[in-house]
Amino acid sequence: MLKNYFKIAWRNIVRHKAYSTINIAGLAIGVAACLLIFVVIQFELSYEKFQPKYDKIYRVVLQQNLGDGISYSEGIPYPMPAALEVDFPDAKFATIQTSYGSQITVPAGNTDVSAADKKFVESIGVMFIQPQFFNIFSYKWLSGDGSVLSKPDMVVIDRSTATKYFGKWENAVGKVVKMDNLLLLKVAGIIEDVPSNSDLPLKVLVSYPTLKTHLAEYNLEDSWGNNSSNHQIFMLPAPDATVANLNDRLKTFVKKHYNQKNAATKVHLVQPLADIHFDTRFGNTLGDHITNKATIRTLSFIAILIIIMASINFINLSTAQSVGRSKEVGIRKVLGSSRTQLIKQSLGETGLIVIFALVIAIVIAKLALPYLKNIASVPDDISLISVGSIVFLMATTLAIVVISGIYPALVVSGFTPVLALKNKITAASVGGVPLRRVLVVAQFAISQLLIIGTIVAVRQMNYVNSADLGFNKEAILIIPGSTDSISLQKSESFKQQLLQSPGVKAVTFTSDQPSSQNNWSTNFYYDNAGTDKPYQTSLKFGDADYFKTFGLRFKAGQAFVQADTTNGVVVNETFVNKLGIQDPHAVIGKILKLGGGKWHPIVGVVEDFKTNTLRENIRPIVILQMKKQQGEVAVKLSTSNFSATVASVQKQWEKTYAAYAYNGYFLDQNIAEFYKQENQLALVYKIFAMIAIFISCLGLYGLVSFMVVQRTKEVGVRKVLGASITSIVYMFSKEFMLLIGVSFVIATPIAYYMMSSWLQNFVFRIPLSAGVFVLAIVASLVVAWITVGYKSVKAALANPVKSLRSE
């Protein structure tokens, strides 16, 4: 019986090649798209789950009320780890201090092939780490164990890094490397590479005791008043501990160790390890990116919509196509086939089509997999086939067979034998015209939802990428440097040498750019006040050419001068406005004190510039000189002879700072990285809107093709009676145009709500205007008319003699 069902199903697929192709193509593209989305979601949800205790490990974080809102930091003060170990004796703790852009130098003679020092700049993965870290986290050791990090000047590296430094990882143990031209470290152990689904990319692990003698160089103070986001602590509490209990104990801890004023504003909390990858309140100072859970929900929602659209195609075409099989069903019923047998046969045919589609979908997904990293932050070696994806494909196949096949099966098996044998089953009576209309409306509502999402996302990202940031970001070369004494001594001569080049317009030494992820902030006192303000101000450090290099515009006063003995500072408009002062000239000459430092006169006020991303409000800013913080070089370049000038700057850097690797990048590219996820999401909308339109067009084409076949003689009669080509095309297309209009009415409020919510992520955003929705309906109508019109025109141009010959 099964063999017979298979033969009949295969014959029907071959007999109706056009409909089978449309069904298989729609399903294959839909399943391929969903499989790729599943691979991305599965990867994002797998972060840290390879850790045996991932659901029991926490990070201690800071929530601080600054008077003008709550801020969050993943950092802790330097003295805090020792105090936590005393107050929480039932828990295990491990502290790390991350270092970004650290240079690792492999001295000549450390390798068999190198006759010169080799320099490597590690953007992430360099950490000072306590040996007890490995009592909480589990990693595979290729050589040594966690205890090697109990001594100063020791380092552990992962397999890939060891291979990169020494040719073979086996050659690394016992060798010496230099970090930041400051620390001479002995390689004491090797660990296996950390999986890519981790926010703890351990590459170069320096023993924590080494940090104790170099706190200043790594911006740490042995003080409860200094908090660094790079200094973090992880906790493995007692098995019976709860989050609520731990947070209550931390409240007591804060009151005990902070002074009364600070304790009132600071709250330390525990953050589950499993939440780190999705908690956007905290910057990701460990791994490459943090994923917003809303993005995961959006991708899941899009995948469901695509599968629904593909299933709608199948239902519409299957119910319409069943008219041609009415006699077959009638004969089977007369010969004794039960309704159950007919349902099984129909579902079997559906299953066969879905299996064909599934095979093609896997091929499509495999071909598209290398391009997946363009729409998601996934590793190059991500696998398409896994236990999870196999389960997903099986579940999807079953769901599609049930959703797509059960209704057509019930319709076909429900034919009355007498009507079927008399050829009284019509397209209008099969499945009901209202249902088919509902399905077409649903399909185009989904298409328009994605079209509107695409238009809004693309417009917002175009706005973000072209927005006036309040400073010049074009043609500015950033070179991360060092603030050691030797480098600082060379800074002025290096600057003057660069300025002699005709392609260099300006040079400044700074802590960071105007718009960056730096959140260095402090409390401050204004105008000889005895108490500080109830909010903090952010700090940026730069020399006198900072304003010229970045094109900052002054509202009042002027820039401070180089080596200003009065230590003048410049503030932004937001700083002035938060003081309750309207006229920026009124603050010129006033003095302010930053933290526990000395008083500084305000010499200038600059127009507001975007201090972080466009997702955030502009913060009050103080710009001042502090040479030991100004290790980064920003070079404003002329656009003429651009490449030659960049090469000249690099050559001069390598000549002046021979001990440091050149690691220059352009400011505009760095700012673009702020919006990587949003740009990827906009691209996702584009791709899946096109897929949705394609699947919709396949369904429309199939339905119109069926209608043309069913109404061939009617078209012939109409032409004989004088009907024009236009009227015949209108006859076929008017219903679909009306249905698309209805789908627009349904999709508009849903799309408005969704995209309004998405735009709320940006403080600076585009208005959600009516033009977006008009463009979406016009695009849908044009695409649908082209799809319907092609087949309609072809039917209208057919010779009526041929269609009426059999009458």
Side-chain angles (χ1 to χ4, degrees), residues 511-720:
S511 59
D512 63 310
Q513 312 95 47
S515 184
S516 71
Q517 299 288 33
N518 171 39
N519 292 312
W520 197 333
S521 60
T522 183
N523 65 315
F524 71 98
Y525 302 78
Y526 176 73
D527 197 22
N528 281 316
T531 57
D532 59 353
K533 292 294 180 181
Y535 56 89
Q536 295 194 328
T537 182
S538 293
L539 302 178
K540 290 187 180 294
F541 303 98
D543 62 26
D545 291 321
Y546 185 89
F547 311 95
K548 175 184 177 182
T549 304
F550 292 109
L552 298 181
R553 302 179 288 266
F554 277 85
K555 294 285 288 185
Q558 60 187 9
F560 44 69
V561 297
Q562 193 72 19
D564 189 349
T565 54
T566 60
N567 290 306
V569 300
V570 172
V571 300
N572 66 346
E573 288 178 280
T574 296
F575 183 95
V576 176
N577 294 336
K578 286 188 74 65
L579 290 173
I581 299 172
Q582 300 300 317
D583 182 9
H585 293 86
V587 301
I588 302 299
K590 299 291 185 180
I591 56 176
L592 60 86
K593 182 169 67 171
L594 302 170
K598 59 183 180 180
W599 291 94
H600 301 267
I602 299 175
V603 298
V605 178
V606 292
E607 291 183 11
D608 275 341
F609 53 87
K610 307 302 185 292
T611 50
N612 282 70
T613 70
L614 295 180
R615 305 183 201 97
E616 302 162 78
N617 285 309
I618 296 173
R619 301 197 304 265
I621 290 284
V622 175
I623 305 171
L624 68 157
Q625 299 182 81
M626 188 179 290
K627 201 165 184 180
K628 68 177 183 178
Q629 301 295 345
Q630 296 163 197
E632 189 173 270
V633 187
V635 186
K636 175 65 178 173
L637 304 174
S638 169
T639 53
S640 59
N641 297 320
F642 193 76
S643 298
T645 305
V646 172
S648 174
V649 171
Q650 179 176 350
K651 184 177 180 180
Q652 188 61 50
W653 170 273
E654 292 170 344
K655 179 181 177 181
T656 306
Y657 300 101
Y660 291 91
Y662 173 83
N663 191 34
Y665 60 88
F666 287 98
L667 177 57
D668 55 349
Q669 296 172 348
N670 189 56
I671 291 175
E673 282 292 308
F674 294 170
Y675 311 103
K676 183 178 179 180
Q677 282 198 36
E678 286 84 358
N679 280 313
Q680 287 177 338
L681 189 60
L683 183 57
V684 167
Y685 274 120
K686 287 181 187 178
I687 293 171
F688 286 96
M690 289 189 288
I691 291 174
I693 291 169
F694 179 73
I695 293 175
S696 298
C697 290
L698 280 179
L700 270 187
Y701 185 82
L703 282 176
V704 173
S705 299
F706 179 80
M707 288 170 61
V708 168
V709 172
Q710 290 293 306
R711 303 175 73 175
T712 299
K713 290 183 174 61
E714 178 188 342
V715 172
V717 171
R718 286 178 179 272
K719 290 196 71 174
V720 168

Side-chain angles (χ1 to χ4, degrees), residues 38-108:
F38 175 81
V39 168
V40 172
I41 293 174
Q42 179 182 240
F43 174 76
E44 294 289 352
L45 294 177
S46 70
Y47 266 69
E48 312 304 342
K49 288 187 177 178
F50 63 88
Q51 288 290 344
K53 304 170 186 174
Y54 89 97
D55 57 340
K56 300 178 179 67
I57 300 172
Y58 299 88
R59 181 170 67 175
V60 180
V61 295
L62 174 67
Q63 173 184 301
Q64 190 169 7
N65 186 351
L66 299 178
D68 57 346
I70 295 176
S71 72
Y72 297 90
S73 172
E74 60 272 45
I76 58 169
Y78 180 77
M80 188 172 175
L84 281 171
E85 290 178 2
V86 173
D87 288 23
F88 290 77
D90 54 335
K92 295 179 181 178
F93 293 93
T95 308
I96 65 172
Q97 164 77 14
T98 55
S99 180
Y100 291 92
S102 280
Q103 178 176 304
I104 306 297
T105 304
V106 181

Side-chain angles (χ1 to χ4, degrees), residues 361-532:
I362 293 173
V363 174
I364 294 172
K366 187 70 176 177
L367 294 173
L369 191 62
Y371 305 99
L372 190 60
K373 61 184 178 182
N374 294 323
I375 64 170
S377 298
V378 295
D380 293 336
D381 60 349
I382 192 168
S383 176
L384 183 68
I385 302 301
S386 64
V387 174
S389 59
I390 291 172
V391 172
F392 168 78
L393 287 173
M394 292 172 64
T396 302
T397 301
L398 181 62
I400 293 174
V401 169
V402 172
I403 294 171
S404 304
I406 194 69
Y407 183 77
L410 291 172
V411 169
V412 171
S413 64
F415 287 167
T416 304
V418 175
L419 294 176
L421 292 172
K422 288 183 177 182
N423 207 23
K424 297 294 186 180
I425 305 295
T426 64
S429 63
V430 174
V433 173
L435 175 65
R436 197 169 302 130
R437 286 173 176 166
V438 168
L439 293 176
V440 170
V441 166
Q443 196 172 52
F444 268 90
I446 293 171
S447 295
Q448 290 178 44
L449 197 63
L450 291 174
I451 290 171
I452 292 169
T454 301
I455 295 171
V456 173
V458 170
R459 283 189 173 181
Q460 173 64 19
M461 295 320 298
N462 286 342
Y463 167 74
V464 164
N465 293 327
S466 60
D468 179 12
L469 301 179
F471 64 91
N472 189 346
K473 66 175 181 178
E474 306 298 332
I476 293 183
L477 179 66
I478 305 295
I479 311 173
S482 173
T483 55
D484 63 54
S485 58
I486 296 176
S487 298
L488 293 177
Q489 289 172 9
K490 297 179 178 180
S491 60
E492 190 58 35
S493 62
F494 176 66
K495 181 177 182 178
Q496 295 306 318
Q497 288 165 353
L498 289 185
L499 290 172
Q500 293 175 12
S501 171
V504 175
K505 292 184 174 180
V507 181
T508 184
F509 277 83
T510 175
S511 59
D512 63 310
Q513 312 95 47
S515 184
S516 71
Q517 299 288 33
N518 171 39
N519 292 312
W520 197 333
S521 60
T522 183
N523 65 315
F524 71 98
Y525 302 78
Y526 176 73
D527 197 22
N528 281 316
T531 57
D532 59 353

Side-chain angles (χ1 to χ4, degrees), residues 259-291:
N259 62 47
Q260 186 175 358
K261 178 183 176 182
N262 286 340
T265 64
K266 296 179 186 292
V267 179
H268 280 287
L269 306 166
V270 290
Q271 177 192 33
L273 179 67
D275 290 353
I276 289 178
H277 188 64
F278 299 103
D279 199 335
T280 54
R281 296 175 302 173
F282 303 91
N284 193 7
T285 55
L286 297 171
D288 288 324
H289 73 286
I290 283 184
T291 298

